[in-house]
Coordinates of all heavy atoms in Angstrom, one line a residue:
M32 N 15.2 -27.5 116.0 CA 15.1 -27.0 117.3 C 15.4 -28.1 118.3 O 14.9 -29.2 118.1 CB 13.7 -26.4 117.5 CG 13.5 -25.8 118.8 SD 11.8 -25.1 119.0 CE 11.9 -23.7 117.9
I33 N 16.1 -27.7 119.3 CA 16.5 -28.7 120.3 C 15.6 -28.5 121.5 O 15.4 -27.4 122.0 CB 18.0 -28.5 120.7 CG1 18.9 -28.7 119.5 CG2 18.3 -29.5 121.9 CD1 20.3 -28.4 119.8
Y34 N 15.0 -29.6 122.0 CA 14.1 -29.5 123.1 C 14.9 -29.8 124.4 O 15.8 -30.7 124.3 CB 12.9 -30.4 123.0 CG 12.0 -30.0 121.9 CD1 12.1 -30.6 120.6 CD2 11.0 -29.1 122.1 CE1 11.2 -30.1 119.6 CE2 10.2 -28.6 121.1 CZ 10.3 -29.2 119.8 OH 9.4 -28.8 118.9
K35 N 14.6 -29.1 125.5 CA 15.3 -29.4 126.7 C 14.3 -29.7 127.8 O 13.1 -29.2 127.7 CB 16.1 -28.1 127.2 CG 17.2 -27.8 126.2 CD 18.0 -26.6 126.8 CE 19.1 -26.2 125.8 NZ 19.8 -25.1 126.2
N36 N 14.6 -30.7 128.7 CA 13.8 -31.0 129.7 C 13.7 -29.9 130.8 O 14.7 -29.4 131.2 CB 14.2 -32.4 130.4 CG 13.2 -32.9 131.3 OD1 12.6 -32.2 132.1 ND2 13.0 -34.2 131.3
G37 N 12.5 -29.5 131.1 CA 12.4 -28.4 132.1 C 13.0 -28.7 133.5 O 13.5 -27.8 134.1
R38 N 13.1 -30.0 133.8 CA 13.8 -30.3 135.1 C 15.3 -30.1 135.0 O 15.9 -29.8 136.0 CB 13.6 -31.8 135.3 CG 12.1 -32.1 135.7 CD 12.0 -33.6 136.1 NE 10.5 -33.8 136.4 CZ 9.9 -34.9 136.3 NH1 10.6 -35.9 135.8 NH2 8.6 -34.9 136.5
D39 N 15.8 -30.0 133.8 CA 17.2 -29.8 133.6 C 17.6 -28.3 133.6 O 18.8 -28.0 133.9 CB 17.8 -30.5 132.3 CG 17.6 -32.0 132.4 OD1 17.5 -32.6 133.5 OD2 17.5 -32.6 131.3
V40 N 16.7 -27.4 133.3 CA 17.0 -26.1 133.1 C 16.3 -25.1 133.9 O 16.7 -23.9 134.0 CB 16.9 -25.7 131.6 CG1 17.9 -26.5 130.7 CG2 15.5 -25.8 131.1
L41 N 15.2 -25.4 134.6 CA 14.4 -24.5 135.3 C 14.5 -24.7 136.9 O 14.7 -25.9 137.3 CB 12.9 -24.6 135.0 CG 12.6 -24.4 133.5 CD1 11.1 -24.7 133.2 CD2 12.9 -22.9 133.2
P42 N 14.4 -23.7 137.6 CA 14.4 -23.9 139.1 C 13.1 -24.6 139.5 O 12.1 -24.4 138.7 CB 14.4 -22.4 139.6 CG 14.5 -21.5 138.4 CD 14.4 -22.3 137.2
P43 N 13.2 -25.4 140.5 CA 12.0 -26.3 140.8 C 10.7 -25.4 141.0 O 9.6 -25.9 140.6 CB 12.4 -26.9 142.2 CG 13.8 -26.9 142.1 CD 14.3 -25.7 141.3
S44 N 10.7 -24.2 141.6 CA 9.6 -23.5 141.8 C 8.9 -23.0 140.5 O 7.7 -23.0 140.3 CB 9.8 -22.2 142.7 OG 10.8 -21.4 142.1
L45 N 9.8 -22.6 139.5 CA 9.2 -22.2 138.2 C 8.7 -23.4 137.5 O 7.6 -23.3 136.8 CB 10.3 -21.5 137.4 CG 10.0 -21.0 136.0 CD1 8.8 -20.1 136.1 CD2 11.1 -20.4 135.3
L46 N 9.3 -24.6 137.6 CA 8.9 -25.7 136.9 C 7.5 -26.1 137.4 O 6.6 -26.4 136.6 CB 9.9 -26.9 137.1 CG 9.5 -28.2 136.6 CD1 9.3 -28.2 135.1 CD2 10.5 -29.3 137.0
Q47 N 7.3 -26.0 138.7 CA 6.0 -26.4 139.3 C 5.0 -25.4 138.8 O 3.9 -25.8 138.5 CB 6.1 -26.4 140.9 CG 4.9 -26.8 141.5 CD 5.1 -27.0 143.0 OE1 6.1 -26.6 143.6 NE2 4.1 -27.5 143.7
E48 N 5.3 -24.1 138.8 CA 4.4 -23.1 138.4 C 4.0 -23.4 136.9 O 2.7 -23.3 136.6 CB 4.9 -21.7 138.5 CG 3.9 -20.6 138.2 CD 2.8 -20.6 139.3 OE1 3.0 -21.0 140.4 OE2 1.7 -20.1 139.0
L49 N 4.9 -23.7 136.0 CA 4.6 -24.0 134.6 C 3.7 -25.3 134.5 O 2.8 -25.4 133.6 CB 5.9 -24.2 133.8 CG 6.6 -22.9 133.5 CD1 8.0 -23.1 132.9 CD2 5.8 -22.0 132.5
Q50 N 4.0 -26.2 135.3 CA 3.2 -27.5 135.3 C 1.7 -27.2 135.6 O 0.9 -27.9 135.1 CB 3.8 -28.5 136.3 CG 5.1 -29.1 135.8 CD 5.8 -30.0 136.9 OE1 5.6 -29.8 138.0 NE2 6.5 -31.0 136.4
N51 N 1.5 -26.2 136.4 CA 0.1 -25.8 136.7 C -0.6 -25.4 135.4 O -1.9 -25.5 135.3 CB 0.0 -24.7 137.7 CG 0.5 -25.3 139.1 OD1 0.4 -26.5 139.4 ND2 0.9 -24.4 140.0
Y52 N 0.1 -24.7 134.5 CA -0.5 -24.1 133.3 C -0.5 -25.1 132.2 O -1.4 -25.1 131.4 CB 0.2 -22.8 133.0 CG -0.1 -21.7 133.9 CD1 0.7 -21.5 135.0 CD2 -1.2 -20.9 133.8 CE1 0.5 -20.4 135.9 CE2 -1.5 -19.9 134.7 CZ -0.6 -19.7 135.7 OH -0.9 -18.7 136.7
V53 N 0.7 -25.7 131.9 CA 0.9 -26.5 130.7 C 1.6 -27.9 131.0 O 2.3 -28.3 130.2 CB 1.7 -25.7 129.6 CG1 0.9 -24.6 129.0 CG2 3.0 -25.2 130.2
G54 N 1.2 -28.5 132.0 CA 1.8 -29.7 132.4 C 1.7 -30.8 131.3 O 0.7 -31.1 130.8
G55 N 2.9 -31.4 130.9 CA 2.9 -32.4 129.9 C 2.8 -32.0 128.5 O 2.9 -32.8 127.5
E56 N 2.6 -30.7 128.2 CA 2.5 -30.2 126.8 C 3.8 -29.5 126.5 O 4.6 -29.1 127.3 CB 1.4 -29.2 126.7 CG 0.0 -29.8 127.0 CD -1.1 -28.8 126.9 OE1 -1.0 -27.9 126.0 OE2 -2.1 -28.8 127.7
L57 N 4.0 -29.4 125.2 CA 5.1 -28.7 124.6 C 4.9 -27.1 124.6 O 3.8 -26.7 124.4 CB 5.5 -29.0 123.2 CG 6.0 -30.5 123.0 CD1 6.2 -30.8 121.6 CD2 7.3 -30.7 123.8
I58 N 5.8 -26.4 125.0 CA 5.7 -24.9 125.0 C 6.9 -24.3 124.4 O 8.0 -24.7 124.7 CB 5.4 -24.4 126.5 CG1 5.2 -22.9 126.5 CG2 6.6 -24.7 127.4 CD1 4.7 -22.3 127.8
Y59 N 6.7 -23.3 123.6 CA 7.8 -22.5 122.9 C 8.0 -21.2 123.7 O 7.0 -20.5 123.9 CB 7.5 -22.3 121.5 CG 8.5 -21.3 120.8 CD1 9.8 -21.8 120.5 CD2 8.2 -20.0 120.6 CE1 10.7 -21.0 120.0 CE2 9.1 -19.2 120.0 CZ 10.3 -19.6 119.7 OH 11.3 -18.8 119.1
I60 N 9.2 -21.0 124.1 CA 9.5 -19.7 124.8 C 10.4 -18.9 123.9 O 11.6 -19.3 123.7 CB 10.3 -20.0 126.2 CG1 9.3 -20.8 127.0 CG2 10.6 -18.6 126.8 CD1 9.9 -21.3 128.3
P61 N 9.9 -17.9 123.2 CA 10.7 -17.1 122.2 C 11.8 -16.3 122.9 O 11.7 -16.0 124.1 CB 9.7 -16.2 121.6 CG 8.6 -16.0 122.6 CD 8.5 -17.3 123.4
K62 N 12.8 -15.9 122.1 CA 13.9 -15.1 122.6 C 13.3 -13.7 122.8 O 12.3 -13.3 122.2 CB 15.0 -15.0 121.5 CG 15.7 -16.2 121.3 CD 16.7 -16.0 120.3 CE 17.6 -17.2 119.9 NZ 18.6 -17.0 118.9
P63 N 13.9 -12.9 123.6 CA 13.5 -11.4 123.8 C 13.6 -10.8 122.4 O 14.5 -11.1 121.6 CB 14.4 -10.8 124.8 CG 15.0 -12.0 125.5 CD 15.0 -13.2 124.6
N64 N 12.8 -9.8 122.1 CA 12.9 -9.1 120.8 C 14.3 -8.6 120.5 O 14.7 -8.6 119.3 CB 11.9 -7.9 120.7 CG 10.5 -8.5 120.5 OD1 10.2 -9.6 120.1 ND2 9.5 -7.7 120.9
E65 N 15.0 -8.0 121.4 CA 16.3 -7.4 121.2 C 17.3 -8.5 120.8 O 18.4 -8.2 120.3 CB 16.8 -6.6 122.3 CG 17.0 -7.3 123.6 CD 15.7 -7.4 124.5 OE1 14.6 -6.9 124.0 OE2 15.8 -7.9 125.6
C66 N 17.1 -9.8 121.0 CA 18.0 -10.8 120.7 C 17.6 -11.6 119.4 O 18.4 -12.4 119.0 CB 18.0 -11.9 121.8 SG 18.6 -11.3 123.3
R67 N 16.5 -11.2 118.8 CA 16.1 -11.9 117.6 C 16.7 -11.4 116.4 O 16.9 -10.2 116.3 CB 14.5 -11.8 117.5 CG 13.9 -12.6 118.6 CD 12.4 -12.5 118.4 NE 12.0 -13.3 117.3 CZ 10.8 -13.5 116.9 NH1 9.8 -13.0 117.6 NH2 10.5 -14.2 115.9
A68 N 17.1 -12.3 115.4 CA 17.7 -11.8 114.2 C 16.5 -11.4 113.3 O 15.5 -12.0 113.2 CB 18.5 -13.0 113.6
R69 N 16.8 -10.5 112.4 CA 15.7 -10.0 111.4 C 15.7 -11.1 110.3 O 16.7 -11.9 110.1 CB 16.1 -8.7 110.8 CG 15.9 -7.6 111.9 CD 16.4 -6.2 111.5 NE 16.3 -6.0 110.0 CZ 16.9 -4.9 109.4 NH1 17.5 -4.0 110.1 NH2 16.8 -4.8 108.1
W70 N 14.6 -11.1 109.5 CA 14.5 -12.0 108.4 C 15.7 -12.0 107.5 O 16.1 -10.9 107.1 CB 13.2 -11.6 107.6 CG 13.0 -12.6 106.5 CD1 12.4 -13.8 106.5 CD2 13.6 -12.4 105.2 NE1 12.4 -14.3 105.2 CE2 13.1 -13.5 104.4 CE3 14.3 -11.3 104.6 CZ2 13.4 -13.6 103.0 CZ3 14.6 -11.5 103.2 CH2 14.2 -12.6 102.5
G71 N 16.2 -13.2 107.2 CA 17.3 -13.3 106.3 C 18.6 -13.0 106.8 O 19.6 -13.2 106.0
E72 N 18.8 -12.6 108.0 CA 20.2 -12.2 108.5 C 21.0 -13.5 108.7 O 22.2 -13.5 108.5 CB 20.1 -11.3 109.7 CG 19.6 -10.0 109.4 CD 19.6 -9.1 110.6 OE1 19.6 -9.6 111.8 OE2 19.5 -7.8 110.5
V73 N 20.4 -14.5 109.3 CA 21.1 -15.7 109.6 C 21.5 -16.5 108.4 O 22.7 -16.9 108.3 CB 20.3 -16.6 110.6 CG1 21.0 -18.0 110.9 CG2 20.1 -15.9 111.9
S74 N 20.6 -16.6 107.4 CA 20.9 -17.4 106.2 C 21.7 -16.6 105.2 O 22.3 -17.2 104.3 CB 19.6 -17.8 105.6 OG 18.9 -16.7 105.2
G75 N 21.8 -15.3 105.3 CA 22.5 -14.4 104.4 C 21.6 -14.0 103.2 O 22.1 -13.2 102.3
T76 N 20.4 -14.4 103.2 CA 19.4 -14.0 102.1 C 19.2 -12.5 102.0 O 19.2 -11.9 101.0 CB 18.0 -14.7 102.3 OG1 18.3 -16.1 102.3 CG2 17.1 -14.3 101.2
R77 N 19.1 -11.8 103.2 CA 19.0 -10.4 103.2 C 20.1 -9.7 102.5 O 19.9 -8.7 101.7 CB 18.8 -9.9 104.7 CG 18.7 -8.3 104.8 CD 18.6 -8.0 106.2 NE 17.3 -8.4 106.8 CZ 16.2 -7.7 106.7 NH1 16.2 -6.5 106.1 NH2 15.0 -8.1 107.3
K78 N 21.3 -10.1 102.8 CA 22.5 -9.5 102.1 C 22.5 -9.7 100.6 O 22.8 -8.9 99.8 CB 23.8 -10.1 102.8 CG 25.1 -9.4 102.2 CD 26.2 -10.0 103.0 CE 27.5 -9.4 102.4 NZ 28.7 -10.0 103.0
L79 N 22.2 -11.1 100.2 CA 22.1 -11.4 98.8 C 21.1 -10.5 98.0 O 21.4 -10.0 97.0 CB 21.8 -12.8 98.6 CG 23.0 -13.8 99.0 CD1 22.5 -15.2 98.9 CD2 24.2 -13.6 98.2
L80 N 20.0 -10.4 98.6 CA 19.0 -9.5 98.0 C 19.3 -8.1 97.9 O 19.1 -7.4 96.9 CB 17.6 -9.7 98.7 CG 16.9 -11.1 98.5 CD1 15.6 -11.1 99.3 CD2 16.7 -11.4 97.1
A81 N 20.0 -7.5 98.9 CA 20.4 -6.1 98.9 C 21.5 -5.9 97.8 O 21.4 -5.0 97.0 CB 21.0 -5.8 100.2
E82 N 22.4 -7.0 97.6 CA 23.4 -6.9 96.6 C 22.7 -7.0 95.2 O 23.1 -6.2 94.3 CB 24.4 -8.0 96.7 CG 25.3 -7.8 97.9 CD 26.2 -9.0 98.3 OE1 26.2 -9.9 97.5 OE2 26.9 -8.9 99.3
R83 N 21.8 -7.9 95.0 CA 21.0 -8.0 93.7 C 20.3 -6.7 93.4 O 20.4 -6.2 92.3 CB 20.0 -9.1 93.8 CG 19.2 -9.3 92.5 CD 17.9 -10.0 92.8 NE 17.0 -9.1 93.6 CZ 15.8 -9.5 94.0 NH1 15.3 -10.7 93.7 NH2 15.1 -8.7 94.7
N84 N 19.6 -6.1 94.4 CA 18.9 -4.9 94.2 C 19.8 -3.8 93.8 O 19.5 -2.9 92.9 CB 18.0 -4.5 95.4 CG 16.9 -5.5 95.6 OD1 16.7 -6.4 94.8 ND2 16.3 -5.4 96.8
K85 N 21.0 -3.7 94.4 CA 22.0 -2.7 94.1 C 22.4 -2.8 92.7 O 22.6 -1.8 91.9 CB 23.2 -2.8 95.0 CG 24.2 -1.7 94.9 CD 25.3 -1.9 96.0 CE 26.4 -0.9 95.8 NZ 27.5 -1.0 96.8
E86 N 22.7 -4.0 92.2 CA 23.0 -4.3 90.8 C 21.9 -3.9 89.9 O 22.2 -3.3 88.8 CB 23.4 -5.7 90.7 CG 23.9 -6.1 89.3 CD 24.3 -7.5 89.1 OE1 24.5 -8.3 90.1 OE2 24.6 -7.9 88.0
I87 N 20.7 -4.2 90.2 CA 19.5 -3.8 89.4 C 19.5 -2.3 89.2 O 19.4 -1.8 88.1 CB 18.2 -4.4 90.0 CG1 18.1 -5.9 89.7 CG2 17.0 -3.7 89.3 CD1 17.0 -6.5 90.4
R88 N 19.7 -1.6 90.3 CA 19.7 -0.1 90.2 C 20.8 0.4 89.3 O 20.7 1.3 88.5 CB 19.8 0.5 91.6 CG 18.5 0.4 92.4 CD 18.6 1.1 93.7 NE 19.6 0.7 94.6 CZ 19.6 -0.4 95.4 NH1 18.5 -1.1 95.4 NH2 20.5 -0.7 96.2
R89 N 22.0 -0.2 89.5 CA 23.2 0.2 88.7 C 23.0 -0.1 87.2 O 23.2 0.8 86.4 CB 24.4 -0.5 89.2 CG 25.7 0.0 88.5 CD 26.9 -0.9 88.9 NE 26.8 -2.3 88.7 CZ 26.8 -2.9 87.5 NH1 27.1 -2.2 86.4 NH2 26.7 -4.2 87.4
L90 N 22.4 -1.2 86.9 CA 22.2 -1.5 85.5 C 21.2 -0.6 84.9 O 21.3 -0.2 83.8 CB 21.8 -3.0 85.4 CG 22.9 -4.0 85.6 CD1 22.2 -5.4 85.6 CD2 24.0 -4.0 84.6
H91 N 20.1 -0.2 85.7 CA 19.1 0.7 85.2 C 19.7 2.0 84.9 O 19.4 2.7 83.9 CB 17.9 0.7 86.1 CG 16.8 1.5 85.7 ND1 16.6 2.8 86.1 CD2 15.8 1.3 84.8 CE1 15.6 3.3 85.5 NE2 15.1 2.4 84.6
L92 N 20.6 2.5 85.8 CA 21.2 3.8 85.7 C 22.1 3.8 84.4 O 22.4 4.8 83.8 CB 22.0 4.2 86.9 CG 21.2 4.6 88.1 CD1 22.1 4.8 89.4 CD2 20.4 5.9 87.8
D93 N 22.7 2.6 84.1 CA 23.6 2.4 83.0 C 22.8 2.4 81.7 O 23.5 2.2 80.6 CB 24.5 1.2 83.2 CG 25.6 1.5 84.3 OD1 25.8 2.7 84.7 OD2 26.2 0.5 84.7
G94 N 21.5 2.3 81.8 CA 20.7 2.4 80.5 C 19.9 1.1 80.3 O 19.2 1.0 79.3
M95 N 20.0 0.0 81.1 CA 19.2 -1.2 80.8 C 17.8 -0.8 81.1 O 17.4 -0.2 82.1 CB 19.7 -2.3 81.7 CG 19.2 -3.7 81.3 SD 19.9 -5.1 82.3 CE 21.2 -5.5 81.1
T96 N 16.9 -1.3 80.3 CA 15.4 -1.1 80.4 C 14.8 -2.1 81.4 O 15.4 -3.1 81.8 CB 14.7 -1.3 79.1 OG1 14.7 -2.6 78.7 CG2 15.2 -0.4 78.0
V97 N 13.6 -1.7 81.9 CA 12.9 -2.5 82.8 C 12.7 -3.9 82.2 O 12.8 -4.9 82.9 CB 11.6 -1.9 83.3 CG1 10.7 -2.8 84.1 CG2 11.9 -0.6 84.1
S98 N 12.3 -3.9 80.9 CA 12.0 -5.2 80.2 C 13.3 -6.0 80.2 O 13.2 -7.2 80.4 CB 11.5 -4.9 78.8 OG 10.3 -4.2 78.9
E99 N 14.4 -5.5 80.0 CA 15.6 -6.3 80.0 C 15.9 -6.8 81.3 O 16.3 -7.9 81.5 CB 16.8 -5.4 79.5 CG 16.7 -5.0 78.0 CD 17.7 -4.0 77.5 OE1 18.0 -3.1 78.3 OE2 18.1 -4.1 76.3
L100 N 15.7 -6.0 82.3 CA 15.9 -6.4 83.7 C 14.9 -7.5 84.2 O 15.3 -8.5 84.9 CB 15.8 -5.2 84.7 CG 16.9 -4.2 84.6 CD1 16.6 -2.9 85.3 CD2 18.2 -4.7 85.1
V101 N 13.7 -7.5 83.7 CA 12.8 -8.5 83.9 C 13.3 -9.9 83.4 O 13.2 -10.9 84.1 CB 11.4 -8.2 83.3 CG1 10.5 -9.4 83.2 CG2 10.7 -7.1 84.0
G102 N 13.8 -9.8 82.2 CA 14.3 -11.1 81.5 C 15.5 -11.5 82.3 O 15.8 -12.7 82.3
K103 N 16.4 -10.7 82.7 CA 17.7 -11.0 83.3 C 17.5 -11.6 84.8 O 18.1 -12.6 85.1 CB 18.6 -9.8 83.5 CG 19.9 -10.2 84.1 CD 20.9 -8.9 84.0 CE 22.2 -9.1 84.8 NZ 23.0 -10.2 84.3
Y104 N 16.6 -11.0 85.5 CA 16.4 -11.4 86.9 C 15.1 -12.2 87.2 O 14.9 -12.6 88.3 CB 16.4 -10.2 87.8 CG 17.7 -9.5 87.9 CD1 18.1 -8.5 87.1 CD2 18.7 -10.1 88.7 CE1 19.4 -7.9 87.1 CE2 19.9 -9.5 88.8 CZ 20.3 -8.4 88.0 OH 21.6 -7.9 88.0
H105 N 14.3 -12.4 86.1 CA 13.0 -13.2 86.3 C 12.1 -12.7 87.4 O 11.6 -13.5 88.1 CB 13.4 -14.7 86.5 CG 14.3 -15.3 85.5 ND1 13.9 -15.6 84.2 CD2 15.6 -15.6 85.5 CE1 15.0 -16.0 83.5 NE2 16.0 -16.0 84.3
L106 N 12.0 -11.4 87.4 CA 11.1 -10.7 88.3 C 10.0 -10.0 87.5 O 10.3 -9.8 86.3 CB 11.9 -9.7 89.2 CG 12.9 -10.2 90.1 CD1 13.7 -9.1 90.7 CD2 12.3 -11.0 91.2
S107 N 9.0 -9.7 88.1 CA 7.9 -8.9 87.3 C 8.4 -7.4 87.2 O 9.2 -6.9 87.9 CB 6.6 -8.9 88.2 OG 6.7 -8.1 89.3
G108 N 7.8 -6.8 86.2 CA 8.1 -5.4 86.0 C 7.8 -4.5 87.1 O 8.5 -3.6 87.5
D109 N 6.7 -4.8 87.9 CA 6.4 -4.1 89.1 C 7.5 -4.2 90.1 O 7.9 -3.3 90.8 CB 5.0 -4.5 89.6 CG 3.8 -4.0 88.8 OD1 4.0 -3.0 88.1 OD2 2.7 -4.5 89.0
S110 N 8.0 -5.5 90.3 CA 9.0 -5.7 91.3 C 10.2 -4.9 90.9 O 10.9 -4.3 91.8 CB 9.4 -7.2 91.4 OG 8.2 -7.9 91.9
I111 N 10.6 -5.0 89.6 CA 11.8 -4.2 89.1 C 11.7 -2.7 89.4 O 12.5 -2.0 90.0 CB 12.1 -4.5 87.7 CG1 12.5 -6.0 87.5 CG2 13.2 -3.5 87.2 CD1 13.8 -6.3 88.0
R112 N 10.5 -2.2 89.0 CA 10.2 -0.8 89.3 C 10.3 -0.4 90.8 O 10.8 0.7 91.2 CB 8.9 -0.3 88.7 CG 9.0 -0.2 87.1 CD 7.7 0.4 86.5 NE 6.7 -0.6 86.4 CZ 6.6 -1.5 85.4 NH1 7.6 -1.6 84.4 NH2 5.6 -2.4 85.3
K113 N 9.8 -1.2 91.6 CA 9.8 -1.0 93.1 C 11.2 -0.9 93.6 O 11.6 -0.1 94.4 CB 9.0 -2.0 93.8 CG 7.5 -1.9 93.7 CD 6.8 -3.0 94.5 CE 5.3 -3.0 94.2 NZ 4.6 -4.1 94.8
I114 N 12.0 -1.8 93.1 CA 13.4 -1.9 93.5 C 14.2 -0.6 93.1 O 14.9 0.0 93.8 CB 14.2 -3.1 92.9 CG1 13.6 -4.3 93.6 CG2 15.7 -3.0 93.1 CD1 14.0 -5.6 93.0
I115 N 13.9 -0.1 91.8 CA 14.5 1.0 91.3 C 14.1 2.3 92.0 O 14.8 3.1 92.4 CB 14.2 1.2 89.8 CG1 14.9 0.0 89.0 CG2 14.6 2.6 89.3 CD1 14.4 -0.1 87.6
V116 N 12.8 2.4 92.3 CA 12.1 3.6 92.9 C 12.5 3.6 94.4 O 12.8 4.7 94.9 CB 10.6 3.7 92.7 CG1 10.0 4.7 93.5 CG2 10.3 3.9 91.2
K117 N 12.5 2.5 95.1 CA 12.6 2.4 96.6 C 14.0 3.0 97.0 O 14.0 3.6 98.0 CB 12.5 1.0 97.0 CG 12.5 0.8 98.5 CD 12.3 -0.6 98.9 CE 12.3 -0.7 100.5 NZ 12.1 -2.0 100.9
T118 N 14.9 2.8 96.2 CA 16.3 3.2 96.7 C 17.0 4.2 95.8 O 18.2 4.3 95.9 CB 17.2 1.9 96.8 OG1 17.1 1.2 95.6 CG2 16.7 1.0 97.9
S119 N 16.2 4.8 95.0 CA 16.8 5.8 94.1 C 17.1 7.1 94.9 O 16.6 7.5 95.8 CB 15.9 6.2 93.0 OG 15.7 5.1 92.2

């Protein structure tokens, strides 16, 4: 995370108001909700897991058992069953 000096980015009146509340301390200002990325979208993890889950469902439909899928993907039986049921 890159920190910016408030003097460089805020209007003087807003800077002075913030100094009244948190002078000299660090403050995090989050992005608006509509601008925030969902979990795993930036890193690509969300897409990788969706592709893995799609493959698990396909293999199960092709006849692979839950036990075989547990061994192949190193997930618990409950996790495999949830993936299969959630998107069937």
Side-chain angles (χ1 to χ4, degrees):
M32 180 177 293
I33 298 171
Y34 292 97
K35 297 181 180 182
N36 189 321
R38 289 186 183 149
D39 297 335
V40 296
L41 299 173
S44 59
L45 180 56
L46 177 62
Q47 186 175 6
E48 190 66 28
L49 286 170
Q50 287 172 332
N51 292 335
Y52 290 94
V53 289
E56 296 180 40
L57 294 176
I58 183 171
Y59 172 74
I60 301 171
K62 293 180 183 180
N64 284 339
E65 61 272 5
C66 295
R67 296 181 68 176
R69 292 176 24 193
W70 177 88
E72 287 181 344
V73 175
S74 66
T76 302
R77 179 178 290 275
K78 183 178 178 183
L79 289 174
L80 290 178
E82 290 171 3
R83 180 205 65 186
N84 293 350
K85 185 177 178 180
E86 183 176 348
I87 289 172
R88 288 188 299 278
R89 184 184 56 76
L90 290 172
H91 185 259
L92 287 173
D93 289 347
M95 191 174 265
T96 66
V97 171
S98 297
E99 292 170 328
L100 291 167
V101 166
K103 180 173 175 62
Y104 291 97
H105 306 286
L106 296 171
S107 70
D109 285 341
S110 293
I111 295 289
R112 282 187 280 281
K113 285 177 186 176
I114 291 168
I115 292 168
V116 169
K117 183 176 181 181
T118 52
S119 293

